[in-house]
Amino acid sequence: MRACQYSRTGDSTVLNVVEVAAPLRAKGEVIVEIVAAGVNPLDVKVRKGEFFPIAQRLPKIPGCDIAGYVQEAAPGSQFKKGDRVWGMLETGFCWVKTGTHAEMIAAPEKALALIPKEVSFEEAAATASVAITAWQALDVDRLRAGQRVLIHAGSGGIGHIAIQLAKNAGTHVITTASTGNTRFVQEVGADEVIDYTCADFVKELKNRPVDVVVDSLGGDYTARSRAVLKKSGRYAHIMANGWSRLGYGILMSFLLEVWQILQGLIVGLLGMGPKHQPVGASPNPQQLNRIGALMASGKVKVHIDKTFPLEQARAAHEYQEKGRPRGKILITMK
Ligand SMILES: NC(=O)c1ccc[n+]([C@@H]2O[C@H](COP(=O)([O-])OP(=O)(O)OC[C@H]3O[C@@H](n4cnc5c(N)ncnc54)[C@H](OP(=O)(O)O)[C@@H]3O)[C@@H](O)[C@H]2O)c1
C-alpha cells in the first residue's frame, strides 16, 4: 500500500509517500481501507519529536483520524467487509498510536463506529478526533441549558465543533478568535466573540463569570481562564501533549502542564475554586454514534479548510504546522 512515512523526526521534509507492506490484522483489530484521514496538531508534534521522543518507534506513519471501508474483520466481529467506519486512534500519556495517512490500517475494533449514511467519509474523517475531544472536554451530558461556556480557539478543529455541541446543549457560548475568524465563529453558532488580538477575555468577562471553560491553548491561558470561572465552575484543560503554544522546551512545557493540573486539582478538591478537568481524549464509539446522529440531522457540521491528496501529505502537514487552520485539514487517499 502507499503511505506517508518518516524514518527520522524533523521538519516536514522527512515525510515521504512510499510503498510499504499492507498491515496484518491482530486480535481485536479490523483492516480498514482508508478513504480520508484528518491532519492534527499532534501529527506535527510527534513528527518533530516533541511528543515523548523516546517512546516513538520509527519508521512511523502519521495520522490518528480514520474513515474508510472495512476490508477484513474477524469472525464474530460487529463489523463486516464493506461497512463504512470512522474513529480515532488512542493517544496515551506518553505514547501514541498513529498510521492513518496511508491506504490501509489495522485499527482496533473498539475505536470504531459505523458512519451514518448521511455523513460522507471526508466529513467523518475530519470530525472524529476533534469531536470526541470536544465532547469529552464539554462533558456534554453535564451541561445545562442557560449555562455560560467559554471556548478558546473557536475557529480551530476542536473549537468550532465544541461551539456547536455546546449550543446544541442550550448553553450561551462565548469564544475567542482572531479578527479574521470572528465572522466564521459567529456563523458556526457562537453567541459572543472576543477578538483576542484587541481585547482581553479576562477583562471582558470579569463581572460576567462563566460556568465552563474549554481550553486547548494552555500556557498562561490556564490561570487566566480559571480567573473568569464561577467558583462552582469547571475548567476543561485539553492537554497539549508535550508541547506548549508558548514555545517552551518540551520538558518545561510538560512540567508546567503537570504543575497546572496538580494545582488545579488540589484547589478544586478543596472546594477553594473551580474544578480542574484534565482532558486526554480517548476513543469512544458510543460518543461517536451520538456525534454522528447530530451530524446526520445537520446540528453539527464540520468545516473542512483544505483537502490534500496523499501524495501531498507533506504540504498538508506544513499547512497544519502554520497553526492557523479554520476548522480541519484532510488527506484523501484516492
Ligand atoms: N489532550 C487531547 O486529548 C487533545 C486532543 C486533540 C487535540 N489536542 C491539542 O489541542 C490543541 C488544539 O487542537 P486543534 O485541533 O483544535 O488545533 P487547530 O485546529 O490547529 O487550532 C488552531 C486554532 O487556534 C486558534 N488560536 C491560536 N492562538 C489563539 C489564541 N491565542 N486565542 C484564540 N485562538 C487561538 C487559531 O485561530 P486564529 O487563527 O483565529 O488565531 C486556529 O484556528 C493542540 O495543541 C492539540 O495537540 C489535545
Side-chain angles (χ1 to χ4, degrees), residues 39-43 45 88 91 129-130 133 136 151-160 175-182 184-185 194 196-197 215-217 221 237-241 243 245 257 279-282 320 323-329:
V39 182
N40 288 287
L42 184 64
D43 297 321
K45 296 173 196 177
M88 69 173 268
T91 301
S129 72
V130 288
T133 308
Q136 294 177 7
I151 295 166
H152 286 305
S155 61
I158 298 171
H160 86 295
T175 193
T176 53
S178 61
T179 315
N181 279 325
T182 52
F184 170 68
V185 292
I194 300 171
Y196 71 85
T197 65
D215 181 16
S216 59
L217 295 166
Y221 269 61
H237 185 161
I238 298 178
M239 293 186 289
N241 296 327
W243 173 87
R245 178 181 64 88
E257 198 164 39
V279 180
S282 54
Q320 173 65 64
R324 288 284 178 274
R326 183 184 276 180
K328 288 295 301 176
I329 303 165

Side-chain angles (χ1 to χ4, degrees), residues 84-126:
R84 300 168 76 239
V85 290
W86 61 325
M88 69 173 268
L89 304 179
E90 180 110 47
T91 301
F93 193 59
C94 59
W95 57 272
V96 56
K97 180 162 169 59
T98 63
T100 64
H101 295 171
E103 288 179 319
M104 274 193 270
I105 189 169
E109 183 170 338
K110 62 177 194 263
L112 302 175
L114 293 173
I115 304 174
K117 64 178 187 325
E118 298 84 352
V119 177
S120 70
F121 283 118
E122 288 76 12
E123 290 166 328

Side-chain angles (χ1 to χ4, degrees), residues 240-282:
N241 296 327
W243 173 87
S244 157
R245 178 181 64 88
L246 297 178
Y248 297 137
I250 308 166
L251 186 63
M252 275 306 289
S253 301
F254 173 70
L255 292 176
L256 175 69
E257 198 164 39
V258 170
W259 168 241
Q260 287 171 335
I261 290 170
L262 282 176
Q263 201 184 23
L265 285 174
I266 292 167
V267 169
L269 279 173
L270 293 177
M272 289 159 58
K275 289 203 170 48
H276 199 102
Q277 175 199 346
V279 180
S282 54

Side-chain angles (χ1 to χ4, degrees), residues 46-326:
V46 176
R47 189 204 74 223
K48 287 169 92 176
E50 294 177 348
F51 178 90
F52 293 95
I54 301 160
Q56 303 309 321
R57 272 213 204 124
L58 295 170
K60 200 166 194 66
I61 299 171
C64 52
D65 285 308
I66 180 176
Y69 291 104
V70 170
Q71 264 296 326
E72 188 192 320
S77 161
Q78 59 172 314
F79 298 114
K80 60 180 188 319
K81 187 172 169 144
D83 279 347
R84 300 168 76 239
V85 290
W86 61 325
M88 69 173 268
L89 304 179
E90 180 110 47
T91 301
F93 193 59
C94 59
W95 57 272
V96 56
K97 180 162 169 59
T98 63
T100 64
H101 295 171
E103 288 179 319
M104 274 193 270
I105 189 169
E109 183 170 338
K110 62 177 194 263
L112 302 175
L114 293 173
I115 304 174
K117 64 178 187 325
E118 298 84 352
V119 177
S120 70
F121 283 118
E122 288 76 12
E123 290 166 328
T127 313
S129 72
V130 288
I132 288 181
T133 308
W135 186 284
Q136 294 177 7
L138 286 165
D139 203 349
V140 169
D141 291 332
R142 273 170 72 193
L143 292 178
R144 295 289 165 262
Q147 281 187 322
R148 291 160 51 75
V149 179
L150 169 64
I151 295 166
H152 286 305
S155 61
I158 298 171
H160 86 295
I161 298 289
I163 291 172
Q164 298 175 65
L165 293 175
K167 278 308 292 173
N168 194 59
T171 65
H172 178 88
V173 176
I174 306 157
T175 193
T176 53
S178 61
T179 315
N181 279 325
T182 52
R183 189 154 174 192
F184 170 68
V185 292
Q186 277 164 340
E187 282 166 5
V188 163
D191 297 294
E192 285 180 56
V193 189
I194 300 171
D195 178 348
Y196 71 85
T197 65
C198 55
D200 176 4
F201 72 89
V202 181
K203 281 191 191 142
E204 297 288 323
L205 298 173
K206 197 173 168 212
N207 299 316
R208 303 185 294 134
V210 300
D211 298 280
V212 179
V213 176
V214 172
D215 181 16
S216 59
L217 295 166
D220 62 332
Y221 269 61
T222 298
R224 289 168 10 90
S225 298
R226 289 183 61 91
V228 301
L229 272 162
K230 293 177 184 169
K231 201 175 164 200
S232 59
R234 173 163 58 91
Y235 172 71
H237 185 161
I238 298 178
M239 293 186 289
N241 296 327
W243 173 87
S244 157
R245 178 181 64 88
L246 297 178
Y248 297 137
I250 308 166
L251 186 63
M252 275 306 289
S253 301
F254 173 70
L255 292 176
L256 175 69
E257 198 164 39
V258 170
W259 168 241
Q260 287 171 335
I261 290 170
L262 282 176
Q263 201 184 23
L265 285 174
I266 292 167
V267 169
L269 279 173
L270 293 177
M272 289 159 58
K275 289 203 170 48
H276 199 102
Q277 175 199 346
V279 180
S282 54
N284 187 313
Q286 289 76 31
Q287 288 170 357
L288 267 185
N289 286 337
R290 291 179 65 187
I291 293 160
L294 290 171
M295 292 170 77
S297 63
K299 289 182 177 150
V300 168
K301 202 168 169 10
V302 66
H303 180 83
I304 299 174
D305 184 333
K306 235 172 162 49
T307 302
F308 297 82
L310 180 62
E311 270 61 33
Q312 291 172 24
R314 195 184 280 181
H317 279 243
E318 285 164 358
Y319 193 73
Q320 173 65 64
E321 204 163 340
K322 288 189 187 134
R324 288 284 178 274
R326 183 184 276 180

